[in-house]
Amino acid sequence: MNIAVLLSAGRHPVSGAAVLPRLEAQAIRIAAGLGEAYGLHAGPDAAAIADALGQGLGRIAHIALPEGVDPVPALAARLAAAAPDLVLAGRRGQGGDESGFVPYALAAALDRPLVPDVLAVARGDAAGTLRLDQSLGRGALRRVVVRGPVIATVHPDAPAPLAYAFGQARRGSIDPCGLIDPCGSSDSLGTAGADAAAAPAVPVEERPYRRRPKLVKGAPAGGSAAERLKAATGESGAAATGRLLVDPDPEEAAREILAYLRRIGVVAPPAPRPNP
Amino acid sequence: MTSLMPPTTVFPGLVWAMAALALVQASRRAALWRVGAAAPVAWLHGLARLPRRYLVDVHAIVARDAYASRMHAVVAGGLLAASVLTALAILPPLAQSRAYWLVVALAFAVTAAGAILVGARRYPEKQKRLSAGRFQILPVLLVAYAVGGTLTALLLALGSDGFVVPLALAAAGGLGLAFEVRHGPMRHAAAGALHLVAHPRPGRFEGRPDTALQPLDLDAPRLGAEMPADFTWNRLLSYDACVSCGRCEIACPAFAAGQPLNPKRLIQDLVAGLNPEEPLYAGNPYPGGRGAEGERGPLARLIGPDARIHPDTLWSCTTCRACVEECPMMIEHVDAVVSLRRYQTLERGALPEKAVGPVTELRQAGDPGGRPLAARTDFAAGLDLPLMAERGQADVLLWLGEGAYDLRYGRTLRALVRLLRQANVDFAVLGAEERDTGDLARRLGDEATFQALARENIGTLSKYRFGRIVTADPHALHALRNEYPAFGGHYTVVHHTALLMELIRAGRLSPGRLPDLSVTYHDPCYLARYNGETEAPRAVLDAIGLTRIEMARSGKRAMCCGGGGGAPVSDVPGERRIPDLRMAQAAETGAGIVAVACPSCTAMLEGVTDRKADIRDVAELLLQAVEAGR
């Protein structure tokens, strides 16, 4: 299986040192358990991602970009050429020149599904499928089976990163793949589109991080403390508005369950009947 | 037979044959050491010092067991004297002298007495720590050689006949002993003597505490030891010097706690790993009873769940050096453990799961907890610590260490700072510029992180002028004093107890007396065993009039608290906990206070449930006395 792990130039949340973000280290562990994986980084400097070599990756492709250039077009072109079966990324940056937005932009550019918050990945039973365990928060998991190439982001609850092994880092290699000077033909990554360099950066607004209060869904504005507590613990809203059926016949119960599943989006709405 | 050749020729001939056989057996063994890596050895110096190293340094350790010391004096002295005297009888004038044979008989009789002393340790029942197996036949061979030799020499002295039986007995015993030089108990005599000459830490014999881990060349093709051939040849030789006396296993805290480590077994596994023909190990197993598995040979992998040594064995070691301290053959067990760890960590990234976090944080943030370096001085809120960055110079640089982040140890450091103020010591701290010394990373085999931290710290220290470094953390003290010089950092490093004693003696601190308290002092391994400092903390405790009671294991032979060598983060399960064992030993003294002088010891011993004694740092007790004296 061909697996690419997106690497970013992270910063340590406390010391500010240039480090590999923890989530990406966790992504490497998942990838290393699946098969041959390589790292992919687009940015001005490869020093920050060299750590990834000691944590389970043997090879990193580095697309050298000038400071401040949007990495998404270059990454998208490279990934389109290399066509990995799985692209793993962190789900959120931890400071520094990195962004949680990149995997989504890439998924859109490559027209591939994105599975967020993955804890574990395994090969599916059918050939060409992947089985991903997705975290829904608070310990709840959902198992997703997908066919074909997919982009997945890693959740912090995934297995802890592998230890950094200095000897392995020494043996690993960072292949510089400039946009004008692409990787060799033996490299499965292929060439990045030359037009990617010309792509203008997506206009984004940057704001300093600030802690925000936790939003409680459906909290009644100005309600009593008891009502707010109910809202916070989920005792109002969907759970409270459910219908209670006593001893319904199976046909009706099944319809009701299906309708509920459609309402919360687990089951797709019924396909429109073809006109005769 | 005697009609063909006179016994005065056969008997010395036997000794010469023994010597030849021993030489052959020893050289067959030596061929194995040659698979090891090269090592610089000062041969002439080592050879010249051999008698002194044997008679002084080795004797000092052997004599801790008075019986073993007497036994060796009688049996080894007798054996050597009798054999050399007999060998000299190839000279005709001596062979004809009846008086000479009487002297030989006497020497053999002494050997026989020694052989009985050897046997008494193994028959009818062997002492628990000794190994069985081939060692059990040693007294039998010795008795046969000695008794056969005595009788033969007596018969020659008396001029009687009937040599066949005694000579055959002596030959059986003597050739058996010589044969045992390759695999059996007699190997320790040959390998041990050579090991004393080619010892990898010659400083141990010159009064220096040669305990710093040796730097690893990070450009070497392979980092650390994966298989026996990765060790240097004189290390392989040192493992062959092991006589399986089991003194190390009695001293080992991990063994006592039922963790899967037995230093004797570890060394024997390294010996057996080198040679597939090695006889079966017949001593106490690793606690937990794991059998030996896996391939053997100079190129066989040593560590792994399916190899000879389980990774848990490796990570159980607290690097307390108690085994090294007790080893009469001067074997360096901790060096072996660290070499193996270095390969696991640097080449395979196979650290224990729980140790990965702290080591990663050390590498990325300069602190094993990933805490902000500027928060290290938080413990001193309101104390107004002077910063080196503002002062530029000070008499004393106070190295705070990791203990500063700990709420409990923060109390100790506050006491220390107040004492320094009281004594008008001109001191300053590095504050946010102080990184961890890298002690944890180095003990866990992560030499790369240690060297990076060492270089950064040395760079920081080179910016300032100070007389000496004072620290309350013996682990930091050992790294700064003994391990940083290899990277260009040469400092005078003083433990806080030594400084406090100095201040008391100089009259700059005038403590009152606390005569109502009884105290026992727990020696930190990295202060006592690694640096030989046992007196200063005791002197401080005595100066404040405490009733001091010593534990059975104290000073350089104290037992570890379980806090060193990354053992707390490796967290290998055992049947008991090391700090619980240590506190039980402290409780035997009946003292109400256990005095400590190390953040790790404080944390480990405070973590013991149901303890009857208080844990107080020497600095806290001194501050109490100073305040009482006001």
Side-chain angles (χ1 to χ4, degrees):
Chain A
M1 195 167 21
N2 187 353
I3 307 164
V5 181
L6 298 185
L7 304 174
S8 57
R11 298 219 159 266
H12 191 276
V14 172
S15 71
V19 296
L20 182 75
R22 180 182 162 89
L23 279 168
E24 286 163 21
Q26 288 175 293
I28 294 172
R29 181 170 184 168
I30 294 177
L34 275 174
E36 183 69 19
Y38 56 84
L40 185 56
H41 174 70
D45 187 15
I49 49 154
D51 272 12
L53 293 175
Q55 295 195 296
L57 286 181
R59 205 160 58 92
I60 297 174
H62 173 224
I63 307 168
L65 290 181
E67 187 85 44
V69 169
D70 178 18
V72 172
L75 289 172
R78 184 58 51 88
L79 287 172
D85 304 302
L86 173 67
V87 177
L88 282 169
R91 72 164 190 172
R92 184 182 290 173
Q94 62 177 40
D97 221 1
E98 45 180 332
S99 158
F101 183 60
V102 169
Y104 294 89
L106 277 177
L110 296 169
D111 195 20
R112 289 200 193 150
L114 184 135
V115 184
D117 296 347
V118 162
L119 295 179
V121 182
R123 286 162 205 270
D125 296 329
T129 59
L130 283 173
R131 200 172 62 222
L132 302 104
D133 290 340
Q134 203 185 7
S135 168
L136 302 179
R138 298 189 186 182
L141 297 182
R142 172 163 57 200
R143 178 156 287 178
V144 186
V145 178
V146 292
R147 181 177 292 278
V150 64
I151 297 178
T153 63
V154 174
H155 191 269
D157 289 349
L162 296 171
Y164 175 80
F166 179 83
Q168 286 171 15
R170 217 172 42 158
R171 282 190 295 275
S173 67
I174 298 179
D175 311 325
C177 304
L179 287 172
I180 295 105
D181 174 29
C183 305
S185 55
S186 63
D187 196 310
S188 63
L189 295 180
T191 58
D195 55 333
V202 181
V204 286
E205 183 196 354
E206 280 190 33
R207 283 183 239 154
Y209 173 79
R210 114 183 122 75
R211 232 176 228 293
R212 289 170 171 78
K214 205 171 171 185
L215 289 178
V216 180
K217 261 188 205 146
S224 71
E227 282 165 346
R228 288 202 303 276
L229 180 68
K230 260 189 177 174
T233 53
E235 281 179 40
S236 65
T241 57
R243 288 209 308 135
L244 182 68
L245 303 177
V246 181
D247 199 14
D249 70 291
E251 195 71 10
E252 190 196 349
R255 247 197 317 278
E256 201 62 42
I257 291 171
L258 210 53
Y260 173 74
L261 291 178
R262 285 197 176 116
R263 197 162 60 240
I264 64 169
V266 174
V267 175
R273 283 169 190 274
N275 289 327
Chain B
M1 193 173 101
T2 42
S3 58
L4 292 176
M5 216 185 273
T8 45
T9 313
V10 177
F11 193 26
L14 165 68
V15 176
W16 285 99
M18 278 167 61
L21 179 59
L23 203 64
V24 168
Q25 292 291 70
S27 55
R28 287 175 75 189
R29 190 70 205 173
L32 283 173
W33 304 329
R34 294 171 58 110
V35 305
V41 170
W43 281 107
L44 287 179
H45 182 76
L47 273 171
R49 295 298 173 94
L50 175 62
R52 197 191 132 79
R53 288 177 183 182
Y54 180 72
L55 293 172
V56 178
D57 301 282
V58 170
H59 176 77
I61 300 171
V62 175
R64 288 175 191 167
D65 177 353
Y67 185 96
S69 163
R70 280 196 290 271
M71 175 191 93
H72 271 94
V74 177
V75 75
L79 189 75
L80 264 181
S83 300
V84 169
L85 285 175
T86 312
L88 288 179
I90 49 164
L91 304 171
L94 289 179
Q96 304 311 322
S97 158
R98 290 191 174 188
Y100 182 78
W101 285 115
L102 205 61
V103 174
V104 174
L106 193 70
F108 269 110
V110 170
T111 316
I116 289 164
L117 287 177
V118 174
R121 297 209 304 171
R122 301 185 171 273
Y123 296 102
E125 204 166 320
K126 132 184 122 55
Q127 281 180 19
K128 229 175 146 196
R129 62 179 165 94
L130 301 175
S131 285
R134 282 171 103 92
F135 288 86
Q136 290 296 83
I137 57 168
L138 178 64
V140 178
L141 294 175
L142 280 170
V143 165
Y145 180 57
V147 170
T150 314
L151 291 179
T152 311
L154 266 182
L155 290 175
L156 284 169
L158 299 173
S160 324
D161 251 342
F163 294 101
V164 178
V165 174
L167 252 181
L169 192 64
L175 293 173
L177 284 173
F179 187 77
E180 290 297 305
V181 166
R182 182 161 167 242
H183 283 320
M186 289 309 287
R187 183 166 66 201
H188 87 281
L194 200 53
H195 169 51
L196 285 180
V197 174
H199 198 281
R201 289 186 179 276
R204 281 187 70 182
F205 305 107
E206 271 130 47
R208 283 186 279 134
D210 190 355
T211 51
L213 288 180
Q214 288 159 349
L216 180 68
D217 174 14
L218 291 176
D219 297 322
R222 195 208 310 274
L223 305 171
E226 179 192 17
M227 48 199 179
D230 288 337
F231 288 98
T232 60
W233 73 269
N234 57 348
R235 301 262 176 197
L236 294 176
L237 159 70
S238 77
Y239 307 144
D240 271 358
C242 173
V243 63
S244 288
C245 68
R247 294 188 192 206
C248 51
E249 77 177 40
I250 290 183
C252 178
F255 181 80
Q259 287 176 274
L261 171 62
N262 176 347
K264 175 168 98 172
R265 174 74 202 260
L266 179 75
I267 295 301
Q268 286 305 315
D269 267 341
L270 292 173
V271 170
L274 179 63
N275 175 23
E277 294 162 35
E278 184 69 16
L280 274 182
Y281 172 77
N284 288 329
Y286 294 122
R290 184 179 177 274
E293 301 159 35
E295 283 179 42
R296 293 204 250 166
L299 302 180
R301 197 164 48 91
L302 281 167
I303 308 293
D306 54 345
R308 278 199 83 72
I309 303 170
H310 193 276
D312 281 352
T313 296
L314 202 57
W315 302 112
S316 295
C317 176
T318 65
T319 69
C320 73
R321 273 182 85 87
C323 49
V324 183
E325 184 69 27
E326 292 302 310
C327 181
M329 301 312 294
M330 305 281 182
I331 298 171
E332 293 281 344
H333 309 62
V334 175
D335 284 352
V337 166
V338 171
S339 282
L340 293 165
R341 284 182 177 184
R342 282 175 174 174
Y343 177 80
Q344 294 292 306
T345 302
L346 294 172
E347 294 285 2
R348 299 195 49 228
L351 280 158
E353 193 79 27
K354 288 179 188 173
V356 175
V359 170
T360 306
E361 292 292 0
L362 259 180
R363 199 165 56 84
Q364 300 185 338
D367 174 71
R371 295 158 291 202
L373 298 182
R376 196 189 298 275
T377 48
D378 284 1
F379 76 93
L383 279 181
D384 186 28
L385 282 184
L387 280 180
M388 262 300 182
E390 291 162 10
R391 300 272 306 276
Q393 60 174 326
D395 289 347
V396 163
L397 188 145
L398 181 60
W399 189 274
L400 295 171
E402 207 201 328
Y405 290 104
D406 180 52
L407 282 178
R408 166 66 186 85
Y409 209 70
R411 293 212 310 263
T412 300
L413 290 175
R414 287 177 71 88
L416 176 61
V417 168
R418 289 174 65 186
L419 286 170
L420 294 181
R421 282 269 154 76
Q422 185 90 24
N424 285 323
V425 175
D426 172 37
F427 74 99
V429 298
L430 287 175
E433 289 184 289
E434 179 187 322
R435 287 178 172 77
D436 195 273
T437 54
D439 165 77
L440 175 75
R442 188 167 225 203
R443 311 299 140 192
L444 288 172
D446 191 350
E447 181 78 2
T449 298
F450 168 76
Q451 291 193 8
L453 285 168
R455 294 212 164 85
E456 284 172 20
N457 278 323
I458 290 169
T460 304
L461 290 171
S462 68
K463 292 193 292 181
Y464 303 116
R465 278 189 296 142
F466 50 87
R468 51 189 174 164
I469 300 176
V470 171
T471 179
D473 183 346
H475 296 264
L477 171 118
H478 173 65
L480 291 169
R481 179 192 281 173
N482 302 324
E483 299 193 335
Y484 275 28
F487 304 95
H490 300 269
Y491 313 108
T492 311
V493 191
V494 184
H495 191 240
H496 72 305
T497 55
L499 178 74
L500 292 175
M501 182 190 71
E502 199 184 298
L503 294 174
I504 294 171
R505 296 219 168 129
R508 291 167 73 181
L509 283 175
S510 38
R513 297 179 73 80
L514 309 168
D516 301 334
L517 299 178
S518 68
V519 61
T520 183
Y521 174 67
H522 163 77
D523 287 273
C525 308
Y526 276 74
L527 191 63
R529 250 191 306 279
Y530 275 78
N531 285 285
E533 293 189 16
T534 55
E535 288 317 307
R538 288 182 168 79
V540 172
L541 294 175
D542 292 346
I544 55 179
L546 295 166
T547 316
R548 183 162 60 81
I549 315 160
E550 289 292 350
M551 284 186 251
R553 287 182 65 178
S554 65
K556 289 182 85 173
R557 302 180 74 191
M559 186 170 135
C560 174
C561 69
V569 292
S570 303
D571 202 19
V572 177
E575 291 153 27
R576 292 163 288 273
R577 292 175 69 251
I578 297 171
D580 292 356
L581 296 174
R582 186 55 174 165
M583 276 310 281
Q585 293 170 5
E588 280 170 19
T589 63
I593 294 173
V594 178
V596 285
C598 166
S600 304
C601 299
T602 312
M604 296 306 283
L605 297 181
E606 279 239 318
V608 173
T609 52
D610 290 340
R611 62 189 154 71
K612 305 283 183 284
D614 275 343
I615 312 294
R616 305 285 296 279
D617 193 278
V618 173
E620 291 177 283
L621 290 167
L622 179 60
L623 180 67
Q624 191 182 341
V626 166
E627 285 178 345
R630 246 185 271 167

